[in-house]
Amino acid sequence: AVKGVDPTIQTTCNTSTVINDPEMSARFFKVFDILQPELTSLKSNAHLREWVRKSGKTLWTYKCNGGLGSRGKNPYEYYRVYAWDLVKYGLTGTGVWTYCAQAQSQRLGGYLLIHRLGDEVTHARRYEMFREGIDDYRYISALREVAKRRGSAAVRKAEKLIQQAVDDVTSHVEDTTLCDKWRRRIAKEIIANLHS
């Protein structure tokens, strides 16, 4: 019915559940243009990963973890490393369902809103981590683009570097230096591709 009104409308489905009946699942997911399962489900469920990859649909994801201000939680991994997970799983879109990490003992504004600092406005650090992650993803995309213009050997070299970076960053989420380290190496490779 929606496509009958306007065939250019894009529909998304953010379920992480695969219906037990494969034929019914195929009918259900067929009506959506974009599949967007929750990232934790996607990481932990090999059947779900295989299902969405075989769908031929555009794949996005989102995160939905509350209580990030609690002891033992890692907001760096949640917001900054997120982009590297997108690359790892071949995802092209993202969202954060629980951005403010609400907990009764926390003040919501500390996570979500922008703050005044003297005469300037500064964003909350969680927002900045998320933005930095988006920039990491943009650097990876830029490297792929310039390598593609240079040919298959450059593409292979770029993909090897990207894979090393993704493996390192996503395997060591407690090391808050790795995203910047790999972004610098990727930037150097972009420049090398542009000037050779």
Side-chain angles (χ1 to χ4, degrees):
V2 170
K3 297 285 188 179
V5 173
D6 183 350
T8 65
I9 291 173
Q10 297 277 294
T11 57
T12 65
C13 175
N14 70 351
T15 184
S16 299
T17 320
V18 178
I19 303 168
N20 288 335
D21 180 339
E23 189 175 312
M24 185 179 274
S25 293
R27 287 181 55 221
F28 175 74
F29 286 118
K30 186 177 181 179
V31 302
F32 296 99
D33 301 298
I34 301 164
L35 301 181
Q36 189 174 10
E38 192 270 330
L39 185 59
T40 303
S41 298
L42 197 63
K43 284 179 167 183
S44 64
N45 186 334
H47 179 67
L48 175 63
R49 282 194 308 274
E50 184 67 19
W51 181 261
V52 296
R53 281 197 182 113
K54 285 183 175 178
S55 73
K57 305 283 184 166
T58 298
L59 302 178
W60 293 358
T61 191
Y62 69 96
K63 285 190 166 189
C64 187
N65 291 337
L68 278 169
S70 306
R71 184 183 291 267
K73 299 288 183 170
N74 185 343
Y76 183 82
E77 183 272 334
Y78 190 80
Y79 293 103
R80 177 79 187 264
V81 176
Y82 189 7
W84 298 86
D85 282 325
L86 298 179
V87 175
K88 180 176 184 173
Y89 293 103
L91 304 162
T92 59
T94 184
V96 178
W97 188 269
T98 302
Y99 181 82
C100 55
Q102 65 267 51
Q104 289 187 359
S105 64
Q106 298 167 348
R107 289 176 297 160
L108 198 56
Y111 302 113
L112 180 59
L113 305 174
I114 54 178
H115 305 279
R116 267 196 100 65
L117 183 63
D119 290 334
E120 297 182 18
V121 174
T122 182
H123 295 106
R125 65 186 172 137
R126 291 167 193 251
Y127 173 85
E128 286 299 318
M129 282 188 270
F130 187 67
R131 185 191 56 74
E132 288 287 340
I134 291 169
D135 283 346
D136 294 338
Y137 191 93
R138 292 173 60 204
Y139 275 74
I140 292 166
S141 297
L143 175 56
R144 285 178 165 156
E145 186 60 37
V146 297
K148 188 166 48 171
R149 288 188 233 142
R150 301 267 340 261
S152 59
V155 168
R156 283 191 300 276
K157 183 178 178 187
E159 288 302 325
K160 183 178 179 184
L161 177 66
I162 291 166
Q163 189 60 53
Q164 289 171 334
V166 167
D167 289 347
D168 194 23
V169 168
T170 60
S171 297
H172 304 99
V173 297
E174 298 299 324
D175 186 343
T176 60
T177 66
L178 290 178
C179 292
D180 288 328
K181 170 191 150 186
W182 283 105
R183 186 199 287 187
R184 284 190 298 277
R185 287 193 57 191
I186 288 168
K188 286 179 184 175
E189 192 63 24
I190 292 168
I191 292 167
N193 275 277
L194 289 172
H195 296 297
S196 57

